[in-house]
Amino acid sequence: MTSDEASGDAGIRVARRARVLKVAGLALAGALVLGVGAAGWAYWHLNNNIKSVDIDSALGDDRPARAVTTPAPSGSATPLPTEALNILVLGSDSRSGRANKALGGGDSTGARSDTAMVVHLDAGRTTATVVSIPRDTLVTRPSCPLPSGGTSVVAYGSMFNSAYSVGGPVCAVKTVEALTDVRMDHYVEIDFAGFAKLVDALGGVTVTTDEDIDDDDSHLHLKAGTHDLDGTRALALARTRHGIGDGSDLGRIGLQQKLVKALLEQISSTNLLSDPTKLYEVADAVTGSLTTDTGLDSLTELMRLGQSLKGLSADEVTTVTMPVVQAPSDHNRVVADEPEASDLWKSLR
């Protein structure tokens, strides 16, 4: 082979290598573009899942004062929040539709706030208190702005969960603030059907029950002991009341509090960051089941809230029920037990 031929072959090999590198580069660039595009679509989809209600505008300034907060230390452009926070969390039980009936929703229509919890995050956000408000509590329901316009009338001796039925999230928040004299900094509503989807996305939840549960209404039959529950059975556990204790809402609250702590433990023990598919499934289930106030209605704000709670473990979450006694007017209802109830709410201000 002559030197000219060798030079020609080398030139061909260099040209081929250049074409291969060019093709590989284009393929890599395409993959990166597709990856960024997929990530962008995922963010848009999750962000679009979240529904919101502008509670601050609806209620105006006639509310309990906000807690005095200490300014965050400098040194970071967007430091994570650390101040104390009160969040009203409602479980919205939509009973209409075939899917919800299959999940134990019964035959009634519409949506009800069957679960109400005030979540108090202490300053520093390493400890928390979750206070359940029995749905059967008789309260004075204040006048509320209505979604259709106008306002509702003040109602005395009304069941607590009637506020949501009458005026939606805005009236629920106003009623809780009137009952507690505590400012609700945020509002989070979790659809029960979405809750079942979240439990399934996490691979189930482990709960220990102290007594047998036999409730045809919620479709739940469990022996006392430890159980691994899928989403359908976890939701049935959150709903059941007739198969435990005296059949009152207080027995159901105890189960719901167990379920909340078990869910927190399941989330903390699941390494979602190592499994992008599962992470997306969980995020899709969470955002798809949420209605929030406008201060939490973006994926960015929810992520900031979640990141601010990274030091909070399930062991540092205390669950209690607002002290109540049997209502004198109706033995099937309860009223706040004073002064114990007021003392509890005062500790959260």
Side-chain angles (χ1 to χ4, degrees):
M1 179 183 299
T2 66
S3 59
D4 288 341
E5 289 173 332
S7 297
D9 289 343
I12 291 171
R13 286 195 297 271
V14 169
R16 285 175 178 170
R17 188 180 300 117
R19 285 196 298 272
V20 169
L21 291 175
K22 184 176 181 181
V23 171
L26 290 173
L28 177 60
L32 289 173
V33 168
L34 289 173
V36 170
W41 178 88
Y43 182 93
W44 176 86
H45 174 73
L46 296 175
N47 201 62
N48 227 38
N49 271 346
I50 306 166
K51 299 176 287 292
S52 66
V53 178
D54 192 351
I55 290 172
D56 285 345
S57 294
L59 294 184
D61 297 326
D62 186 19
R63 305 175 65 185
R66 293 186 185 275
V68 177
T69 59
T70 303
S74 58
S76 174
T78 54
L80 291 175
T82 59
E83 72 275 9
L85 208 62
N86 289 305
I87 306 172
L88 175 60
V89 179
L90 293 188
S92 172
D93 196 2
S94 177
R95 306 242 166 177
S96 58
R98 183 180 301 174
N100 278 307
K101 289 181 180 179
L103 289 169
D107 296 323
S108 58
T109 59
R112 309 185 302 189
S113 59
D114 271 7
T115 302
M117 298 178 177
V118 174
V119 179
H120 173 78
L121 303 173
D122 293 306
R125 304 194 182 181
T126 57
T127 57
T129 303
V130 178
V131 184
S132 296
I133 303 175
R135 53 163 286 189
D136 294 335
T137 304
L138 297 182
V139 300
T140 297
R141 190 182 69 229
S143 174
C144 299
L146 299 176
S148 58
T151 58
S152 65
V153 298
V154 177
Y156 300 96
S158 292
M159 277 183 58
F160 168 76
N161 72 337
S162 69
Y164 184 91
S165 300
V166 168
V170 172
C171 197
V173 170
K174 188 167 185 178
T175 301
V176 169
E177 292 185 341
L179 174 67
T180 65
D181 197 28
V182 176
R183 174 71 170 244
M184 296 296 110
D185 300 296
H186 289 298
Y187 171 83
V188 173
E189 179 184 323
I190 304 172
D191 175 72
F192 272 16
F195 169 79
K197 184 178 177 182
L198 169 61
V199 172
D200 284 335
L202 287 168
V205 63
T206 302
V207 177
T208 299
T209 58
D210 300 324
E211 59 181 295
D212 295 348
I213 299 174
D214 191 16
D215 187 354
D216 289 333
D217 288 343
S218 66
H219 306 171
L220 185 65
H221 305 277
L222 290 177
K223 294 294 184 181
T226 301
H227 303 275
D228 295 322
L229 305 179
D230 63 7
T232 299
R233 295 210 297 168
L235 178 56
L237 185 69
R239 279 175 166 156
T240 192
R241 63 184 290 179
H242 301 297
I244 54 171
D246 61 0
S248 73
D249 193 44
L250 298 179
R252 172 165 59 181
I253 284 174
L255 290 176
Q256 290 173 346
Q257 291 173 342
K258 280 189 175 185
L259 191 56
V260 166
K261 297 200 77 169
L263 194 60
L264 289 174
E265 291 169 355
Q266 179 68 14
I267 292 172
S268 64
S269 65
T270 305
N271 188 7
L272 297 175
L273 294 180
S274 66
D275 189 341
T277 300
K278 182 177 285 293
L279 175 61
Y280 177 79
E281 289 176 358
V282 170
D284 190 35
V286 169
T287 56
S289 66
L290 287 186
T291 300
T292 72
D293 66 284
T294 49
L296 285 180
D297 64 350
S298 72
L299 192 58
T300 299
E301 290 300 327
L302 287 175
M303 289 172 61
R304 275 175 56 79
L305 176 61
Q307 289 167 349
S308 77
L309 303 178
K310 61 184 178 182
L312 178 65
S313 68
D315 293 336
E316 297 302 325
V317 177
T318 301
T319 55
V320 297
T321 301
M322 182 184 77
V324 294
V325 295
Q326 189 179 88
S329 60
D330 186 344
H331 71 276
N332 291 318
R333 303 289 181 254
V334 296
V335 293
D337 187 10
E338 298 295 0
E340 287 80 2
S342 291
D343 291 340
L344 172 62
W345 297 123
K346 185 177 180 180
S347 71
L348 305 186
R349 292 181 194 132

PDB file of all heavy atoms in Angstrom, residues 1-2 21-22 34-36 47-48 52 79 86 118 136 152 198 209 213-214 232 235 257-258 265 320:
ATOM      1  N   MET A   1       0.862  -1.195   0.000  1.00  0.00           N
ATOM      2  CA  MET A   1       0.000   0.000   0.000  1.00  0.00           C
ATOM      3  C   MET A   1       0.889   1.233   0.000  1.00  0.00           C
ATOM      4  O   MET A   1       1.836   1.338   0.772  1.00  0.00           O
ATOM      5  CB  MET A   1      -0.922   0.003   1.228  1.00  0.00           C
ATOM      6  CG  MET A   1      -1.822   1.234   1.304  1.00  0.00           C
ATOM      7  SD  MET A   1      -2.844   1.254   2.795  1.00  0.00           S
ATOM      8  CE  MET A   1      -3.806  -0.242   2.568  1.00  0.00           C
ATOM      9  N   THR A   2       0.556   2.170  -0.897  1.00  0.00           N
ATOM     10  CA  THR A   2       1.357   3.385  -0.983  1.00  0.00           C
ATOM     11  C   THR A   2       0.969   4.320   0.143  1.00  0.00           C
ATOM     12  O   THR A   2      -0.075   4.177   0.791  1.00  0.00           O
ATOM     13  CB  THR A   2       1.119   4.085  -2.331  1.00  0.00           C
ATOM     14  OG1 THR A   2      -0.234   4.541  -2.375  1.00  0.00           O
ATOM     15  CG2 THR A   2       1.364   3.147  -3.502  1.00  0.00           C
ATOM     16  N   LEU A  21     -19.677  10.104  15.610  1.00  0.00           N
ATOM     17  CA  LEU A  21     -19.753  11.010  16.763  1.00  0.00           C
ATOM     18  C   LEU A  21     -20.874  12.017  16.586  1.00  0.00           C
ATOM     19  O   LEU A  21     -21.558  12.378  17.546  1.00  0.00           O
ATOM     20  CB  LEU A  21     -18.417  11.731  16.952  1.00  0.00           C
ATOM     21  CG  LEU A  21     -17.256  10.847  17.425  1.00  0.00           C
ATOM     22  CD1 LEU A  21     -15.959  11.656  17.453  1.00  0.00           C
ATOM     23  CD2 LEU A  21     -17.529  10.268  18.817  1.00  0.00           C
ATOM     24  N   LYS A  22     -21.033  12.482  15.352  1.00  0.00           N
ATOM     25  CA  LYS A  22     -22.091  13.441  15.091  1.00  0.00           C
ATOM     26  C   LYS A  22     -23.459  12.812  15.338  1.00  0.00           C
ATOM     27  O   LYS A  22     -24.342  13.401  15.982  1.00  0.00           O
ATOM     28  CB  LYS A  22     -21.997  13.945  13.648  1.00  0.00           C
ATOM     29  CG  LYS A  22     -23.019  15.033  13.330  1.00  0.00           C
ATOM     30  CD  LYS A  22     -22.811  15.558  11.920  1.00  0.00           C
ATOM     31  CE  LYS A  22     -23.822  16.658  11.609  1.00  0.00           C
ATOM     32  NZ  LYS A  22     -23.641  17.166  10.228  1.00  0.00           N
ATOM     33  N   LEU A  34     -35.817  15.228  24.925  1.00  0.00           N
ATOM     34  CA  LEU A  34     -36.992  14.453  25.298  1.00  0.00           C
ATOM     35  C   LEU A  34     -37.128  14.348  26.814  1.00  0.00           C
ATOM     36  O   LEU A  34     -38.220  14.424  27.367  1.00  0.00           O
ATOM     37  CB  LEU A  34     -36.921  13.059  24.680  1.00  0.00           C
ATOM     38  CG  LEU A  34     -37.120  12.995  23.164  1.00  0.00           C
ATOM     39  CD1 LEU A  34     -36.860  11.582  22.656  1.00  0.00           C
ATOM     40  CD2 LEU A  34     -38.529  13.442  22.803  1.00  0.00           C
ATOM     41  N   GLY A  35     -35.971  14.171  27.494  1.00  0.00           N
ATOM     42  CA  GLY A  35     -35.996  14.074  28.956  1.00  0.00           C
ATOM     43  C   GLY A  35     -36.483  15.366  29.585  1.00  0.00           C
ATOM     44  O   GLY A  35     -37.333  15.360  30.474  1.00  0.00           O
ATOM     45  N   VAL A  36     -35.940  16.474  29.115  1.00  0.00           N
ATOM     46  CA  VAL A  36     -36.373  17.775  29.629  1.00  0.00           C
ATOM     47  C   VAL A  36     -37.843  18.003  29.306  1.00  0.00           C
ATOM     48  O   VAL A  36     -38.613  18.497  30.138  1.00  0.00           O
ATOM     49  CB  VAL A  36     -35.499  18.898  29.041  1.00  0.00           C
ATOM     50  CG1 VAL A  36     -36.084  20.260  29.380  1.00  0.00           C
ATOM     51  CG2 VAL A  36     -34.065  18.784  29.579  1.00  0.00           C
ATOM     52  N   ASN A  47     -48.711  20.056  38.455  1.00  0.00           N
ATOM     53  CA  ASN A  47     -49.109  21.392  38.888  1.00  0.00           C
ATOM     54  C   ASN A  47     -50.572  21.658  38.529  1.00  0.00           C
ATOM     55  O   ASN A  47     -51.322  22.282  39.289  1.00  0.00           O
ATOM     56  CB  ASN A  47     -48.210  22.439  38.241  1.00  0.00           C
ATOM     57  CG  ASN A  47     -48.209  23.765  38.989  1.00  0.00           C
ATOM     58  OD1 ASN A  47     -47.815  23.832  40.150  1.00  0.00           O
ATOM     59  ND2 ASN A  47     -48.653  24.818  38.337  1.00  0.00           N
ATOM     60  N   ASN A  48     -50.967  21.158  37.365  1.00  0.00           N
ATOM     61  CA  ASN A  48     -52.337  21.366  36.885  1.00  0.00           C
ATOM     62  C   ASN A  48     -53.346  20.514  37.644  1.00  0.00           C
ATOM     63  O   ASN A  48     -54.544  20.799  37.618  1.00  0.00           O
ATOM     64  CB  ASN A  48     -52.409  21.039  35.390  1.00  0.00           C
ATOM     65  CG  ASN A  48     -53.150  22.116  34.615  1.00  0.00           C
ATOM     66  OD1 ASN A  48     -53.017  23.289  34.911  1.00  0.00           O
ATOM     67  ND2 ASN A  48     -53.936  21.706  33.635  1.00  0.00           N
ATOM     68  N   SER A  52     -57.673  24.890  43.680  1.00  0.00           N
ATOM     69  CA  SER A  52     -57.487  25.844  44.783  1.00  0.00           C
ATOM     70  C   SER A  52     -58.711  26.718  44.987  1.00  0.00           C
ATOM     71  O   SER A  52     -59.552  26.858  44.092  1.00  0.00           O
ATOM     72  CB  SER A  52     -56.261  26.723  44.534  1.00  0.00           C
ATOM     73  OG  SER A  52     -56.455  27.569  43.417  1.00  0.00           O
ATOM     74  N   PRO A  79     -34.799  30.844  51.662  1.00  0.00           N
ATOM     75  CA  PRO A  79     -34.688  29.906  52.785  1.00  0.00           C
ATOM     76  C   PRO A  79     -36.008  29.190  53.028  1.00  0.00           C
ATOM     77  O   PRO A  79     -37.091  29.738  52.795  1.00  0.00           O
ATOM     78  CB  PRO A  79     -34.331  30.824  53.958  1.00  0.00           C
ATOM     79  CG  PRO A  79     -34.870  32.167  53.571  1.00  0.00           C
ATOM     80  CD  PRO A  79     -34.694  32.247  52.085  1.00  0.00           C
ATOM     81  N   ASN A  86     -50.530  26.646  61.137  1.00  0.00           N
ATOM     82  CA  ASN A  86     -51.765  25.895  61.377  1.00  0.00           C
ATOM     83  C   ASN A  86     -52.447  25.628  60.043  1.00  0.00           C
ATOM     84  O   ASN A  86     -52.706  26.556  59.274  1.00  0.00           O
ATOM     85  CB  ASN A  86     -52.709  26.681  62.296  1.00  0.00           C
ATOM     86  CG  ASN A  86     -52.190  26.745  63.723  1.00  0.00           C
ATOM     87  OD1 ASN A  86     -51.918  25.718  64.335  1.00  0.00           O
ATOM     88  ND2 ASN A  86     -52.051  27.949  64.255  1.00  0.00           N
ATOM     89  N   VAL A 118     -56.986  19.823  62.507  1.00  0.00           N
ATOM     90  CA  VAL A 118     -56.136  21.006  62.515  1.00  0.00           C
ATOM     91  C   VAL A 118     -54.715  20.528  62.782  1.00  0.00           C
ATOM     92  O   VAL A 118     -54.425  19.949  63.829  1.00  0.00           O
ATOM     93  CB  VAL A 118     -56.568  22.010  63.595  1.00  0.00           C
ATOM     94  CG1 VAL A 118     -55.570  23.168  63.677  1.00  0.00           C
ATOM     95  CG2 VAL A 118     -57.965  22.550  63.294  1.00  0.00           C
ATOM     96  N   ASP A 136     -69.651  15.340  64.474  1.00  0.00           N
ATOM     97  CA  ASP A 136     -70.944  15.440  65.148  1.00  0.00           C
ATOM     98  C   ASP A 136     -70.977  16.545  66.208  1.00  0.00           C
ATOM     99  O   ASP A 136     -71.948  16.642  66.967  1.00  0.00           O
ATOM    100  CB  ASP A 136     -71.289  14.108  65.822  1.00  0.00           C
ATOM    101  CG  ASP A 136     -71.507  12.992  64.796  1.00  0.00           C
ATOM    102  OD1 ASP A 136     -71.848  13.309  63.647  1.00  0.00           O
ATOM    103  OD2 ASP A 136     -71.341  11.812  65.154  1.00  0.00           O
ATOM    104  N   SER A 152     -74.731  33.037  53.863  1.00  0.00           N
ATOM    105  CA  SER A 152     -75.619  32.190  54.650  1.00  0.00           C
ATOM    106  C   SER A 152     -75.958  32.901  55.955  1.00  0.00           C
ATOM    107  O   SER A 152     -75.283  33.854  56.354  1.00  0.00           O
ATOM    108  CB  SER A 152     -74.955  30.839  54.940  1.00  0.00           C
ATOM    109  OG  SER A 152     -73.806  31.024  55.770  1.00  0.00           O
ATOM    110  N   LEU A 198     -53.453   7.105  46.575  1.00  0.00           N
ATOM    111  CA  LEU A 198     -52.158   7.394  47.189  1.00  0.00           C
ATOM    112  C   LEU A 198     -51.641   6.180  47.949  1.00  0.00           C
ATOM    113  O   LEU A 198     -50.457   5.821  47.845  1.00  0.00           O
ATOM    114  CB  LEU A 198     -52.291   8.589  48.132  1.00  0.00           C
ATOM    115  CG  LEU A 198     -51.090   8.863  49.051  1.00  0.00           C
ATOM    116  CD1 LEU A 198     -49.847   9.160  48.230  1.00  0.00           C
ATOM    117  CD2 LEU A 198     -51.395  10.009  50.001  1.00  0.00           C
ATOM    118  N   THR A 209     -55.021  -2.813  64.551  1.00  0.00           N
ATOM    119  CA  THR A 209     -56.307  -2.514  65.181  1.00  0.00           C
ATOM    120  C   THR A 209     -56.408  -3.273  66.503  1.00  0.00           C
ATOM    121  O   THR A 209     -55.915  -4.398  66.626  1.00  0.00           O
ATOM    122  CB  THR A 209     -57.475  -2.919  64.269  1.00  0.00           C
ATOM    123  OG1 THR A 209     -57.385  -4.327  63.971  1.00  0.00           O
ATOM    124  CG2 THR A 209     -57.420  -2.147  62.966  1.00  0.00           C
ATOM    125  N   ILE A 213     -63.236  -5.501  63.566  1.00  0.00           N
ATOM    126  CA  ILE A 213     -64.074  -4.529  62.862  1.00  0.00           C
ATOM    127  C   ILE A 213     -64.974  -5.290  61.908  1.00  0.00           C
ATOM    128  O   ILE A 213     -64.499  -6.060  61.070  1.00  0.00           O
ATOM    129  CB  ILE A 213     -63.219  -3.504  62.093  1.00  0.00           C
ATOM    130  CG1 ILE A 213     -62.328  -2.711  63.055  1.00  0.00           C
ATOM    131  CG2 ILE A 213     -64.111  -2.566  61.281  1.00  0.00           C
ATOM    132  CD1 ILE A 213     -61.358  -1.788  62.359  1.00  0.00           C
ATOM    133  N   ASP A 214     -66.271  -5.077  62.050  1.00  0.00           N
ATOM    134  CA  ASP A 214     -67.238  -5.777  61.215  1.00  0.00           C
ATOM    135  C   ASP A 214     -68.301  -4.773  60.787  1.00  0.00           C
ATOM    136  O   ASP A 214     -69.298  -4.548  61.479  1.00  0.00           O
ATOM    137  CB  ASP A 214     -67.868  -6.922  62.007  1.00  0.00           C
ATOM    138  CG  ASP A 214     -68.687  -7.852  61.122  1.00  0.00           C
ATOM    139  OD1 ASP A 214     -68.514  -7.796  59.891  1.00  0.00           O
ATOM    140  OD2 ASP A 214     -69.499  -8.623  61.658  1.00  0.00           O
ATOM    141  N   THR A 232     -58.203   0.553  48.958  1.00  0.00           N
ATOM    142  CA  THR A 232     -59.628   0.370  49.198  1.00  0.00           C
ATOM    143  C   THR A 232     -59.906   0.082  50.666  1.00  0.00           C
ATOM    144  O   THR A 232     -60.816   0.659  51.277  1.00  0.00           O
ATOM    145  CB  THR A 232     -60.177  -0.775  48.324  1.00  0.00           C
ATOM    146  OG1 THR A 232     -59.980  -0.443  46.940  1.00  0.00           O
ATOM    147  CG2 THR A 232     -61.653  -1.004  48.579  1.00  0.00           C
ATOM    148  N   LEU A 235     -59.137   3.131  52.954  1.00  0.00           N
ATOM    149  CA  LEU A 235     -60.225   4.099  52.903  1.00  0.00           C
ATOM    150  C   LEU A 235     -61.422   3.608  53.713  1.00  0.00           C
ATOM    151  O   LEU A 235     -62.067   4.383  54.427  1.00  0.00           O
ATOM    152  CB  LEU A 235     -60.640   4.354  51.453  1.00  0.00           C
ATOM    153  CG  LEU A 235     -61.804   5.310  51.246  1.00  0.00           C
ATOM    154  CD1 LEU A 235     -61.529   6.662  51.907  1.00  0.00           C
ATOM    155  CD2 LEU A 235     -62.073   5.501  49.749  1.00  0.00           C
ATOM    156  N   GLN A 257     -56.629   8.585  63.154  1.00  0.00           N
ATOM    157  CA  GLN A 257     -55.350   9.061  63.674  1.00  0.00           C
ATOM    158  C   GLN A 257     -54.275   7.992  63.546  1.00  0.00           C
ATOM    159  O   GLN A 257     -53.122   8.290  63.213  1.00  0.00           O
ATOM    160  CB  GLN A 257     -55.523   9.503  65.128  1.00  0.00           C
ATOM    161  CG  GLN A 257     -56.363  10.771  65.274  1.00  0.00           C
ATOM    162  CD  GLN A 257     -56.673  11.115  66.710  1.00  0.00           C
ATOM    163  OE1 GLN A 257     -56.564  10.274  67.600  1.00  0.00           O
ATOM    164  NE2 GLN A 257     -57.072  12.360  66.954  1.00  0.00           N
ATOM    165  N   LYS A 258     -54.635   6.734  63.785  1.00  0.00           N
ATOM    166  CA  LYS A 258     -53.687   5.633  63.573  1.00  0.00           C
ATOM    167  C   LYS A 258     -53.263   5.567  62.108  1.00  0.00           C
ATOM    168  O   LYS A 258     -52.094   5.345  61.782  1.00  0.00           O
ATOM    169  CB  LYS A 258     -54.325   4.303  63.977  1.00  0.00           C
ATOM    170  CG  LYS A 258     -54.323   4.016  65.459  1.00  0.00           C
ATOM    171  CD  LYS A 258     -54.776   2.584  65.703  1.00  0.00           C
ATOM    172  CE  LYS A 258     -54.666   2.244  67.190  1.00  0.00           C
ATOM    173  NZ  LYS A 258     -54.985   0.822  67.448  1.00  0.00           N
ATOM    174  N   GLU A 265     -45.335   7.025  58.416  1.00  0.00           N
ATOM    175  CA  GLU A 265     -44.248   6.054  58.532  1.00  0.00           C
ATOM    176  C   GLU A 265     -43.964   5.377  57.199  1.00  0.00           C
ATOM    177  O   GLU A 265     -42.805   5.144  56.844  1.00  0.00           O
ATOM    178  CB  GLU A 265     -44.596   5.018  59.601  1.00  0.00           C
ATOM    179  CG  GLU A 265     -44.598   5.578  61.023  1.00  0.00           C
ATOM    180  CD  GLU A 265     -45.195   4.626  62.036  1.00  0.00           C
ATOM    181  OE1 GLU A 265     -45.696   3.553  61.604  1.00  0.00           O
ATOM    182  OE2 GLU A 265     -45.163   4.933  63.237  1.00  0.00           O
ATOM    183  N   VAL A 320     -54.456  14.138  68.913  1.00  0.00           N
ATOM    184  CA  VAL A 320     -55.440  14.297  69.991  1.00  0.00           C
ATOM    185  C   VAL A 320     -56.790  14.623  69.368  1.00  0.00           C
ATOM    186  O   VAL A 320     -56.877  14.967  68.178  1.00  0.00           O
ATOM    187  CB  VAL A 320     -55.038  15.410  70.984  1.00  0.00           C
ATOM    188  CG1 VAL A 320     -53.733  15.078  71.687  1.00  0.00           C
ATOM    189  CG2 VAL A 320     -54.934  16.759  70.277  1.00  0.00           C
TER     190      VAL A 320
END
